[in-house]
Amino acid sequence: DSGVTQTPKHLITATGQRVTLRCSPRSGDLSVYWYQQSLDQGLQFLIQYYNGEERAKGNILERFSAQQFPDLHSELNLSSLELGDSALYFCASSVAGTGGEEKLFFGSGTQLSVL
Amino acid sequence: GQQVMQIPQYQHVQEGEDFTTYCNSSTTLSNIQWYKQRPGGHPVFLIQLVKSGEVKKQKRLTFQFGEAKKNSSLHITATQTTDVGTYFCAGRSGNFNKFYFGSGTKLNVKP
């Protein structure tokens, strides 16, 4: 158990809908990262937050948005869903925000299926 | 832009054979990390390499960081069925806030 909690584990929805994925980082971790993993693919970096502020952005679509709340949990919002958005979405947390040995601790992921 | 390429994409070995996956970056990296994802699981941190030419070992696993800090490798000696999974490298450079993950090497070990 990494200590990172992601909910829900599975989500089935229809095209055009909007969903919210939730992540609670490990206790004490200030950084939260979101990654998308399509079937048998690598990890595509979406976005990072550090202590409530957006720190870095990757290949995140305009239909997607995220935020980190004062209690450090994070939510990833996916809207106007398309079939191609079906993927496993991972959240990862770490202690540090910059430099050093910054290990990423991954949650178990949310499997999103868009039908 | 920053790219981290990883080869091979798949590797099937007989139990007891060795296995190597390679990671190459288009730019110099400040450090590189390796993660393992078991089937149906999530990536788990294995190790971080920072220094040019650094070599680290974890039991049957040997990790190397190239002299130019642009490439890295993970070598597993005498694979076991417990080694099955996808191995990812993740490089960091310049902007310390981003981890650039390779596409992963999926290892299958036949008993």
Side-chain angles (χ1 to χ4, degrees), chain A residues 37 48 97 99 102 104 107, chain B residues 33 35 37 42 92 96-97 99:
Chain A
Q37 186 175 39
Q48 181 211 356
E102 185 178 347
L104 293 183
Chain B
Q33 297 183 348
Y35 291 78
Q37 183 177 19
H42 57 271
R92 304 181 82 187
F96 280 7
N97 300 316
F99 287 86

Side-chain angles (χ1 to χ4, degrees), chain A:
Chain A
D1 182 14
S2 67
V4 179
T5 304
Q6 284 189 252
T7 56
K9 289 195 184 305
H10 302 276
L11 200 48
I12 302 174
T13 188
T15 54
Q17 294 299 303
R18 183 180 192 274
V19 296
T20 298
L21 313 183
R22 182 189 168 101
C23 170
S24 293
R26 290 188 325 152
S27 176
D29 284 359
L30 300 178
S31 252
V32 169
Y33 295 76
W34 285 98
Y35 287 88
Q36 180 192 57
Q37 186 175 39
S38 301
L39 192 62
D40 283 345
Q41 296 294 309
L43 294 157
Q44 296 296 319
F45 169 68
L46 296 178
I47 198 163
Q48 181 211 356
Y49 282 84
Y50 177 76
N51 203 20
E53 293 188 3
E54 181 184 305
R55 180 61 68 90
K57 233 173 183 176
N59 301 322
I60 188 167
L61 300 172
E62 283 190 13
R63 300 182 286 109
F64 296 0
S65 65
Q67 59 184 126
Q68 188 178 27
F69 295 86
D71 67 352
L72 300 177
H73 91 271
S74 178
E75 292 181 356
L76 178 66
N77 301 297
L78 315 176
S79 61
S80 303
L81 285 168
E82 301 175 0
L83 295 177
D85 297 328
S86 295
L88 187 53
Y89 290 84
F90 282 111
C91 162
S93 75
S94 70
V95 173
T98 57
E101 179 172 294
E102 185 178 347
K103 299 180 193 179
L104 293 183
F105 293 87
F106 284 81
S108 300
T110 293
Q111 180 66 58
L112 174 66
S113 299
V114 182
L115 306 178

Side-chain angles (χ1 to χ4, degrees), chain B residues 5 14 18 24 29 31 34-36 39 42 54 62 69 78 86 88 106 110:
Chain B
M5 309 300 291
Q14 200 70 40
D18 292 356
N24 291 290
L29 301 170
N31 62 63
W34 286 90
Y35 291 78
K36 176 183 178 182
H42 57 271
E54 188 170 13
T62 302
K69 300 183 75 173
T86 301
F88 291 99
K106 193 170 184 177
K110 288 180 278 189

